[in-house]
Amino acid sequence: MSSTDALEGTPLSTQIRQRLKAARKRFHANDNISEFIQPGELETLLDEVEVQMRGVLNSLVIDIENDHNTDNTARRVAKMYLNEVFRGRYVPAPTITEFPNVGHLNELMIVGPITVRSACSHHFCPVIGKIWIGVMPNEHTNVIGLSKYARLAEWIMGRPQIQEEAVVQLADLIQEKTQPDGLAIVMEASHYCMAWRGVKDMDSKMINSVMRGVFLKDPNLRREFLSLIPQKG
């Protein structure tokens, strides 16, 4: 189905949803759906989200016609969601140049802290924190630049998430890209669904980890990784 069908009254979001369903693909909040968005369609989708957001503001009884502070809020929010905080849903994974491990590196490498920003899928409130990544390479491991870990993390976190699933998704992606003997990820984050609303606890943080390969099997290596992470908090 072409994006020109939108001229015939079919919303673009409906077209994209139909493509996903026809392919039997999931489109949960933390899924990437870029494969089903055609070139140029994101701008059309942005227009649609703006219209829907204007409806939300109207239902909140905000006078967007006369209030100079909110007359363009719907557009700004639409751009924020599609182009920034949820961008990881709508664009392909960043291009990562991989190099063979010619030096036969086989010692523990740790990258971090990488600052990450996401949003909880329950309330769309910010989740802001840091990630540490430990890699135990082997002679067949693909080597990627340090900044590429941050780019992969940003792509995964740029979706409505829960922290536990986000770390697993990131681990799966790095495992696929580098094929190490072991992979460890620790994430510590503040959740504004707790700080801004609800219990309004500004100090609570969530810490979780994923251990793969030798990090899971070797407690000494796991302890070494955790001991080398700077004091969190």
Side-chain angles (χ1 to χ4, degrees), residues 212-231:
R212 301 275 175 86
V214 291
F215 285 100
L216 192 60
K217 300 173 183 176
D218 186 343
N220 292 324
L221 179 62
R222 186 162 62 248
R223 279 195 293 269
E224 180 184 0
F225 166 68
L226 294 172
S227 70
L228 291 172
I229 293 177
Q231 185 65 40

Side-chain angles (χ1 to χ4, degrees), residues 145-231:
L146 295 182
S147 66
K148 304 308 186 290
Y149 290 100
R151 292 187 185 278
L152 293 175
E154 180 183 36
W155 184 67
I156 290 292
M157 296 296 163
R159 312 167 193 184
Q161 289 275 16
I162 64 169
Q163 183 173 330
E164 306 94 303
E165 292 180 355
V167 174
V168 171
Q169 281 190 325
L170 180 59
D172 289 343
L173 182 61
I174 295 174
Q175 187 81 33
E176 175 189 346
K177 293 286 184 183
T178 63
Q179 298 297 314
D181 277 348
L183 175 66
I185 300 179
V186 170
M187 178 173 175
E188 177 190 62
S190 296
H191 290 244
Y192 283 75
C193 55
M194 286 184 63
W196 190 31
R197 58 161 298 280
V199 296
K200 297 184 175 67
D201 185 341
M202 297 296 294
D203 297 321
S204 280
K205 295 180 185 295
M206 178 177 177
I207 303 173
N208 72 313
S209 66
V210 170
M211 302 287 168
R212 301 275 175 86
V214 291
F215 285 100
L216 192 60
K217 300 173 183 176
D218 186 343
N220 292 324
L221 179 62
R222 186 162 62 248
R223 279 195 293 269
E224 180 184 0
F225 166 68
L226 294 172
S227 70
L228 291 172
I229 293 177
Q231 185 65 40

Side-chain angles (χ1 to χ4, degrees), residues 11-14 16 33 37 40-51 75 78 82 89-90:
L12 179 57
S13 62
T14 300
I16 296 170
I33 60 171
I37 299 175
E41 286 188 334
L42 269 183
E43 189 65 27
T44 302
L45 189 60
L46 193 153
D47 293 338
E48 182 182 333
V49 173
E50 177 188 0
V51 170
R75 185 70 177 182
L82 287 178
R89 295 196 77 234
Y90 304 107

Side-chain angles (χ1 to χ4, degrees), residues 111-174:
V111 182
I114 298 170
T115 300
V116 292
R117 301 162 187 85
S118 190
C120 85
S121 49
H122 297 153
H123 295 94
F124 279 15
C125 290
V127 174
I128 299 177
K130 297 183 183 299
I131 282 180
W132 291 263
I133 301 170
V135 178
M136 179 60 74
N138 59 51
E139 62 182 34
H140 305 296
T141 296
N142 294 323
V143 178
I144 64 176
L146 295 182
S147 66
K148 304 308 186 290
Y149 290 100
R151 292 187 185 278
L152 293 175
E154 180 183 36
W155 184 67
I156 290 292
M157 296 296 163
R159 312 167 193 184
Q161 289 275 16
I162 64 169
Q163 183 173 330
E164 306 94 303
E165 292 180 355
V167 174
V168 171
Q169 281 190 325
L170 180 59
D172 289 343
L173 182 61
I174 295 174

Side-chain angles (χ1 to χ4, degrees), residues 75-129:
R75 185 70 177 182
R76 287 192 292 266
V77 172
K79 290 172 69 175
M80 177 188 72
Y81 281 142
L82 287 178
N83 297 340
E84 297 179 86
V85 295
F86 296 163
R87 181 175 172 82
R89 295 196 77 234
Y90 304 107
V91 300
T95 301
I96 302 297
T97 304
E98 303 166 17
F99 304 95
N101 185 5
V102 294
H104 295 251
L105 303 173
N106 62 354
E107 300 291 340
L108 172 61
M109 301 186 301
I110 299 176
V111 182
I114 298 170
T115 300
V116 292
R117 301 162 187 85
S118 190
C120 85
S121 49
H122 297 153
H123 295 94
F124 279 15
C125 290
V127 174
I128 299 177

